[in-house]
Amino acid sequence: HALSQSVGASSEDDGVRGVLLNSLVACGASSLIAGSFVEHSRLASLDVVGANCVVSCVRGLPPGFRIPPDTLLQQTQLSDGRFVCVMMGVKDDVKGMDTLRGEPFSQVLERLQSDDVWPSDTTKTLWTARLWPIRETPEDATRAALLTDDWLGEKLSLAD
């Protein structure tokens, strides 16, 4: 496998640029889809990134995982060594609660069937919602950020 390092590279397709910044890509033969921005990440291939994405600080993705178009995905390693992954739509309003990844936020909450998304004294917005599970690995944190059956456990909000 070829290893591609980037301090700052861009690709252009139909006049829209994709940008790769301070990142490592194991398969140098892959290319970034136009309109996407990848920074401070280590990826097996750029082919896993959809169009119009923002990808930040990714250390690892679950096998076969692809980042859907129009997605913001950021992994963060916490001071105790565990990880959290935020995955939302690039058009989601973090100070509101209209949508999460294109799905009405009210439907997301109904699907999660959880009463502890917000502390009782907090304004209810996507910013303050405790949606993002803490996990031992970046891959597990990303899987949990899909907000499906792996969602239970300790969580953080964007405000945290």
Side-chain angles (χ1 to χ4, degrees), residues 82-103:
R82 297 181 300 164
F83 291 85
V84 66
C85 179
V86 172
M87 189 164 60
M88 52 194 294
V90 294
K91 294 181 182 179
D92 291 336
D93 178 5
V94 297
K95 298 296 183 169
M97 30 187 283
D98 294 331
T99 61
L100 180 61
R101 297 193 301 257
E103 183 180 356

Side-chain angles (χ1 to χ4, degrees), residues 71-148:
T71 297
L72 176 144
L73 189 141
Q74 180 181 25
Q75 293 176 346
T76 302
Q77 187 169 21
L78 305 176
S79 60
D80 65 4
R82 297 181 300 164
F83 291 85
V84 66
C85 179
V86 172
M87 189 164 60
M88 52 194 294
V90 294
K91 294 181 182 179
D92 291 336
D93 178 5
V94 297
K95 298 296 183 169
M97 30 187 283
D98 294 331
T99 61
L100 180 61
R101 297 193 301 257
E103 183 180 356
F105 197 51
S106 59
Q107 289 179 12
V108 173
L109 293 174
E110 186 177 308
R111 181 170 40 83
L112 294 176
Q113 298 179 351
S114 177
D115 296 327
D116 67 347
V117 172
W118 291 279
S120 59
D121 61 342
T122 302
T123 303
K124 294 181 178 184
T125 65
L126 184 55
W127 181 255
T128 58
R130 290 186 177 151
L131 294 173
W132 315 113
I134 300 169
R135 296 293 185 263
E136 296 298 320
T137 67
E139 294 84 359
D140 287 344
T142 301
R143 202 175 291 109
L146 292 170
L147 306 180
T148 56

Side-chain angles (χ1 to χ4, degrees), residues 9-56:
S10 65
S11 64
E12 189 167 349
D13 182 24
D14 297 331
V16 179
R17 289 187 176 269
V19 177
L20 178 67
L21 183 65
N22 295 331
S23 296
L24 293 172
V25 181
C27 179
S30 62
S31 62
L32 185 62
I33 292 180
S36 289
F37 176 75
V38 176
E39 67 169 357
H40 309 292
S41 296
R42 290 183 290 206
L43 298 170
S45 168
L46 291 173
D47 295 338
V48 302
V49 180
N52 303 312
C53 288
V54 176
V55 178
S56 181

